[in-house]
C-alpha cells in the first residue's frame, strides 16, 4: 500500500472527529464528504486527478499510527492526487432518471 500511495504526487488524509451522537457523526461525515466532492471538482479544473481511497487502508491500525491519526478521529478518505496528461474516455452511464424514484403528489 505504501508503494501505491507513493505513486501519486501528493496524498491528503481527510478526517472527521468521532462523535458519540450518531446523528451528529452522520452529519459531520456528510459535510466532510461534500467538501471532498467540491475539492475533487476544483482539482479537476486545475487538471489534477484525485482518487478517493477508503477500504481496508483507512482502518488499518498501522496506517493510522504512521499517519498520526488520533483515537477520536475517523478517516473519511485518503485523496491520492496527480497531474494528468490525458483525460480517460468517459464510461457509459445509466441515465440519472433511471436512478430516481418519483413520488407524485
Ligand atoms: C466514498 C468513496 C470511496 C472510494 N474508495 C475507493 C477505494 O478505496 N479504492 C478505489 O479504487 N476507488 C475508490 N473510490 C472511487 C470509486 O471507485 C470510483 O472510481 C469513483 O467514485 C468514480 O466513479 P465513476 O468511475 O463511476 O465516476 C471511492 C469513491 C468514493 C465516493
Amino acid at each position: 500500500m505504501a508503494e501505491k500511495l507513493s505513486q501519486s504526487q501528493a496524498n491528503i488524509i481527510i478526517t472527521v472527529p468521532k462523535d458519540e451522537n450518531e446523528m451528529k457523526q452522520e452529519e459531520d461525515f456528510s459535510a466532510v464528504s461534500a467538501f471532498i466532492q467540491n475539492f475533487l471538482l476544483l482539482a479537476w479544473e486545475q487538471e489534477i486527478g484525485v482518487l478517493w481511497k477508503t477500504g481496508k487502508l483507512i482502518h488499518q491500525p498501522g496506517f493510522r499510527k504512521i499517519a498520526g491519526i488520533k483515537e477520536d478521529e475517523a478517516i473519511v478518505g485518503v485523496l491520492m492526487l496527480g497531474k494528468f496528461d490525458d483525460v480517460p474516455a468517459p464510461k457509459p452511464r445509466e441515465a440519472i432518471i433511471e436512478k430516481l424514484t418519483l413520488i407524485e403528489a
Side-chain angles (χ1 to χ4, degrees):
M1 195 60 227
E3 200 181 309
K4 206 168 189 179
L5 287 176
S6 67
Q7 286 171 358
S8 50
Q9 288 166 314
N11 298 298
I12 303 176
I13 305 171
I14 309 280
T15 63
V16 65
K18 285 183 187 166
D19 200 302
E20 280 173 17
N21 180 331
E22 203 177 323
M23 268 168 58
K24 177 87 170 64
Q25 177 72 79
E26 276 183 9
E27 199 173 275
D28 289 351
F29 215 92
S30 299
V32 174
S33 299
F35 160 77
I36 294 176
Q37 177 65 14
N38 288 336
F39 181 89
L40 262 61
L41 294 172
L42 289 169
W44 180 261
E45 254 182 22
Q46 303 294 319
E47 300 189 346
I48 298 169
V50 185
L51 172 62
W52 182 344
K53 196 121 191 67
T54 52
K56 283 186 199 152
L57 172 72
I58 64 168
H59 299 289
Q60 271 173 18
F63 174 72
R64 289 179 56 94
K65 192 166 178 233
I66 289 169
I69 309 300
K70 300 188 193 87
E71 273 299 309
D72 60 354
E73 291 173 325
I75 300 177
V76 184
V78 178
L79 306 184
M80 299 176 65
L81 279 67
K83 275 272 184 187
F84 56 81
D85 298 319
D86 301 308
V87 178
K91 290 184 203 165
R93 301 277 175 190
E94 197 177 350
I96 189 68
I97 193 76
E98 304 297 335
K99 307 268 187 194
L100 300 179
T101 305
L102 299 177
I103 302 166
E104 305 279 343

